[in-house]
Amino acid sequence: MRSTTAPATITPPAAEASAPAISLRGVAKHFGETVAVRNLDLDIARGELFSMLGPSGSGKTTVLRMIAGFEQPTAGRILLDGAEVTRKAPFDREVNTVFQDYALFPHMSVADNVGYGLAVRKVARDELRRQVTEALARVHLDHLADRLPSQLSGGQRQRVALARALVLRPRVLLLDEPLGALDRKLREQMQIELKAIQREVGITFVLVTHDQDEALTLSDRVAVFHEGGIEQVGTPTEVYERPATTFVAGFLGAANIIEPELADELFGRRELLSIRPERLRLSAAAPTDSAPTVTGVVTEVVYSGPATTYVVELRGGTTVMATRPAGDDSASHRRGDAVHLTWSPSDLYAIPGSPTRTT
Amino acid sequence: MLDTRPTDTAHPPEATRPAGNRLATLLHAHPRLRLYGLLSLPLAWMVGVYLVSLALLLVTAFWTTDPFTSKVIPGFTLRNFENILTTPAYLRTAARTVGVALLVTLLCAALALPLGVFMAKVASPRWRNFLAMAITLPLWAGYLVKVFAMRISLGDSGPVNWLLAPYGLSGPGYGLPAVVLTLTYLWFPFMALPVYTALRQIPPNLFDAAADLGAGTWRTLRTVVLPLLMPAMIAGSLFTFSLSLGDFIAAQFVGAKVQMLGTLINQNVNLNPPLAAALSVVPILAVGLYLFAIRRTGALKEL
């Protein structure tokens, strides 16, 4: 009783060469009363390493599951290389997924796991074995082909999941929190490896993560999700240096957000301003040049190895954070010290997307 | 209780410790004692009651009966076994019984799989609870009550015939099919519950992963679900198979003239106990062979 539902070969859709790898048009997803994703438009270019970043419950995983075909959008269209796939089943889409907890088949060996998709496509046995070996070699696991998933470490399982999806040469590879279950050191190592693999195979990677470091390190572009919508799409530099909204500024690393009233008072600009803690400098004496400055009192000193963060209370009770790298000579203040904060005007960034609050 | 007070009370003299503590210390120091303590009671039950009576039964199989007084005469003879192996009626009954047990097992598995998939993966929690209760409900009723219910249902003027009559059909009536139906109904929970439990334990994303890699429903069922359900199905089949082998009441109530090993043993228990004992070796052997066959497939290792 051979399955007839899975096609032996998937015929490429009639796509124009210029179409993006993935297009979402007005995509929304409701679970009963809850709106998980609201009216989303997004284009992901071919060969891009694209991250969907956001806190849990922001809708990023739902979007990924809709691209994979596990969820049907309530409204809108999903296009893959310009061809509509909105209503297609997961097994009819040239998209593969690396699942958050890997979802390896526990009763199959590593080689059988990696070969599963090829076997479904009825690839001849020798060819199948050759491709499996090649895929396992790419993730440096060729020596563990006969093991069961339960005999592997977390990092090794992650590689098997990656090999199992990559061996099918999908148009798009979806990765759901791929490094979330790994410890820090392994995660950093895998980030580099993942990027190298992506460059090597040239497949579009779409990655879901709640880890801003991961998104900034890995991605060509990042979409920042918040409450079912996208707050900003851009390169890591763009979203970090020029956040479009307060949420983006706050979610991507620490940011000092200065309300318009206070900004008016301190800097003479009635705008919602943000400045990264690492852009603020501290000194005990007032700066000699004409650089802008604000005075305050250090209320907390947080040492974290490569850097020290000072919490400084300004006039009127507002606190800001200033992070100084280790070895910076201006960085030896103690709690209760009066300090002068200085910055270059170009580091002060007005957040455009946020409404200016009325006083 | 843990003593957290400072040093003066940190080492209380040996004598002031309560007796329970001393027992715990003793057990802690002697792992073997712990083992014996845990196992002695169940082992005594197992060996004393179960294995000894089984051994007695096997011994009886080699005895004879006085044909006139039906008095059991101890001794050693293979005549009872010879009798079974040379009487076609006995052989046919043995084959029929094993066949019925296998069929009941297959039917239970075939019914449990879709029901389990529906309950574990499709049904809302309310439906799921309702169905779980519906499966277990028959277990609360007495065995005789259930057999009687089947007898009434399948009777000439019973509800099955009454429901089928408008379509020009009639139920199976009493006989072999009725025995299979009744046994399937009786032992179904023993298959359905482990299968359902095992299905619930399969992580949902394995289904997603199979679909993602291109497998359709049937292929996923065959290559992912069934292999993962094997241990549960084997556990369930051990119940359905061995319980069916030993049953005689269902055959008596709905089987009309159908003879099963159980009915034969039951008939001979008083008339010819050694023959009854020899006959009861047959289902024991059948279960033994069944276990051996399963072992050969390597499925027991995952149990």
Side-chain angles (χ1 to χ4, degrees):
Chain A
M1 37 171 249
R2 290 248 138 181
S3 155
T4 49
T5 31
T9 50
I10 294 173
T11 43
E16 327 103 72
S18 60
I22 296 171
S23 298
L24 304 183
R25 291 283 169 268
V27 169
K29 178 70 184 176
H30 301 205
F31 292 107
E33 296 289 293
T34 335
V35 180
V37 175
R38 50 187 159 80
N39 198 32
L40 213 72
D41 289 304
L42 180 64
D43 284 324
I44 298 170
R46 256 180 233 178
E48 196 171 23
L49 207 165
F50 191 88
S51 287
M52 302 202 278
L53 173 70
S56 57
S58 60
K60 58 193 194 303
T61 300
T62 308
V63 171
L64 194 83
R65 290 179 61 81
M66 286 193 285
I67 297 173
F70 304 132
E71 308 279 356
Q72 294 283 314
T74 313
R77 305 195 308 143
I78 298 171
L79 294 99
L80 198 65
D81 278 343
E84 173 136 11
V85 295
T86 317
R87 301 286 153 197
K88 279 193 179 175
F91 46 80
D92 287 331
R93 303 183 184 200
E94 279 182 275
V95 169
N96 286 112
T97 309
V98 174
F99 292 87
Q100 184 168 13
D101 41 10
Y102 318 137
L104 300 178
F105 303 123
H107 57 295
M108 294 182 199
S109 69
V110 165
D112 287 344
N113 263 287
V114 176
Y116 189 84
L118 296 171
V120 169
R121 283 160 182 74
K122 301 202 168 53
V123 173
R125 228 177 59 180
D126 291 345
E127 175 63 14
L128 184 145
R129 201 172 304 150
R130 195 189 61 75
Q131 289 193 31
V132 166
T133 313
E134 192 187 295
L136 282 175
R138 180 174 287 130
V139 295
H140 316 298
L141 280 183
D142 28 351
H143 59 295
L144 298 178
D146 297 325
R147 295 267 185 99
L148 285 176
S150 57
Q151 297 166 314
L152 302 181
S153 70
Q156 290 168 336
R157 284 180 214 182
Q158 213 277 329
R159 287 153 194 262
V160 177
L162 194 61
R164 183 175 72 171
L166 275 178
V167 78
L168 299 173
R169 304 218 134 247
R171 284 165 190 272
V172 176
L173 185 73
L174 306 174
L175 303 106
D176 187 6
E177 302 271 3
L179 310 177
L182 305 180
D183 59 61
R184 192 196 175 98
K185 217 175 160 75
L186 200 56
R187 194 161 63 220
E188 283 166 1
Q189 185 192 333
M190 273 310 286
Q191 281 178 7
I192 296 166
E193 209 165 306
L194 208 59
K195 199 158 183 166
I197 288 173
Q198 196 263 341
R199 211 174 295 132
E200 194 183 312
V201 296
I203 291 172
T204 312
F205 276 32
V206 179
L207 184 133
V208 156
T209 180
H210 65 268
D211 182 336
Q212 39 121 349
D213 286 332
E214 196 168 297
L216 295 180
T217 314
L218 280 172
S219 324
D220 296 321
R221 282 196 307 153
V222 182
V224 184
F225 277 70
H226 181 48
E227 288 174 351
I230 292 178
E231 296 267 311
Q232 187 177 5
V233 184
T235 64
T237 324
E238 278 165 10
V239 292
Y240 187 77
E241 305 282 342
R242 296 186 291 283
T245 65
T246 355
F247 176 79
V248 177
F251 192 72
L252 283 156
N256 295 307
I257 312 267
I258 294 147
E259 297 290 329
E261 305 89 80
L262 188 66
D264 192 22
E265 192 183 319
L266 293 176
F267 314 112
R269 293 169 64 178
R270 201 173 180 77
E271 286 171 297
L272 187 65
L273 295 177
S274 105
I275 184 163
R276 294 288 177 191
E278 66 270 21
R279 303 286 186 178
L280 281 174
R281 288 185 298 276
L282 298 99
S283 58
T288 45
D289 53 8
S290 61
T293 177
V294 177
T295 55
V297 176
V298 174
T299 59
E300 204 66 69
V301 181
V302 182
Y303 175 74
S304 65
T308 306
T309 298
Y310 299 88
V311 181
V312 179
E313 191 174 316
L314 308 180
R315 278 173 298 158
T318 309
T319 56
V320 294
M321 290 193 293
T323 303
R324 300 312 307 162
D328 181 16
D329 47 358
S330 78
S332 51
H333 307 281
R334 278 187 287 181
R335 229 151 64 90
D337 285 0
V339 287
H340 291 263
L341 290 168
T342 51
W343 60 90
S344 20
S346 61
D347 292 333
L348 206 56
Y349 174 72
I351 298 171
S354 313
T356 311
R357 262 149 265 197
T358 46
T359 21
Chain B
M1 286 272 81
L2 201 67
D3 199 340
T4 51
R5 279 174 296 174
T7 42
D8 55 325
T9 50
H11 302 284
E14 201 70 14
T16 62
R17 286 209 216 157
N21 253 2
R22 255 178 290 154
L23 180 63
T25 313
L26 184 76
L27 285 174
H28 179 78
H30 299 90
R32 267 175 182 276
L33 217 58
R34 229 153 56 209
L35 196 70
Y36 297 145
L38 280 174
L39 287 183
S40 52
L41 208 60
L43 267 181
W45 174 264
M46 179 87 184
V47 174
V49 180
Y50 183 69
L51 287 182
V52 167
S53 55
L54 198 65
L56 283 177
L57 177 84
L58 286 176
V59 170
T60 320
F62 299 100
W63 294 355
T64 48
T65 341
D66 185 311
F68 296 108
T69 59
S70 282
K71 203 169 170 275
V72 177
I73 305 161
F76 182 81
T77 170
L78 290 174
R79 218 167 51 215
N80 295 316
F81 292 103
E82 216 180 283
N83 191 1
I84 294 171
L85 289 174
T86 52
T87 311
Y90 287 155
L91 289 177
R92 271 203 305 276
T93 306
R96 186 186 305 127
T97 307
V98 172
V100 165
L102 283 175
L103 192 60
V104 167
T105 300
L106 280 178
L107 274 174
C108 283
L111 290 172
L113 184 62
L115 182 71
V117 170
F118 177 76
M119 283 172 69
K121 300 294 162 198
V122 186
S124 66
R126 272 179 67 153
W127 254 104
R128 184 183 299 153
N129 288 338
F130 170 76
L131 286 171
M133 211 182 66
I135 290 176
T136 43
L137 202 61
L139 290 178
W140 304 355
Y143 173 88
L144 277 176
V145 175
K146 285 180 280 184
V147 177
F148 246 127
M150 283 305 274
R151 182 179 165 85
I152 292 168
S153 301
L154 296 169
D156 280 339
S157 51
V160 171
N161 277 342
W162 178 75
L163 279 171
L164 290 175
Y167 308 98
L169 302 167
S170 66
Y174 299 143
L176 200 57
V179 173
V180 172
L181 269 181
T182 305
L183 291 177
T184 304
Y185 160 67
L186 282 174
W187 312 138
F188 179 64
F190 294 99
M191 180 66 87
L193 287 179
V195 166
Y196 162 63
T197 312
L199 266 165
R200 283 207 73 178
Q201 282 168 354
I202 298 179
N205 64 11
L206 288 192
F207 292 84
D208 285 348
D212 188 75
L213 295 168
T217 312
W218 286 112
R219 193 171 185 110
T220 306
L221 215 53
R222 188 163 54 84
T223 56
V224 178
V225 179
L226 271 181
L228 291 175
L229 282 187
M230 257 350 248
M233 287 207 154
I234 284 168
S237 77
L238 285 176
F239 285 108
T240 57
F241 185 71
S242 56
L243 287 171
S244 301
L245 275 183
D247 187 88
F248 65 100
I249 293 180
Q252 275 178 2
F253 273 77
V254 299
K257 299 248 179 303
V258 171
Q259 288 276 20
M260 301 274 280
L261 276 174
T263 52
L264 279 182
I265 295 166
N266 186 41
Q267 282 158 16
N268 283 297
V269 155
N270 290 318
L271 289 175
N272 190 350
L275 180 64
L279 279 168
S280 58
V281 170
V282 179
I284 295 174
L285 272 178
V287 171
L289 278 173
Y290 185 69
L291 277 174
F292 181 73
I294 288 170
R295 210 186 121 92
R296 284 294 295 272
T297 65
L300 277 186
K301 269 184 280 180
E302 288 167 34
L303 221 62

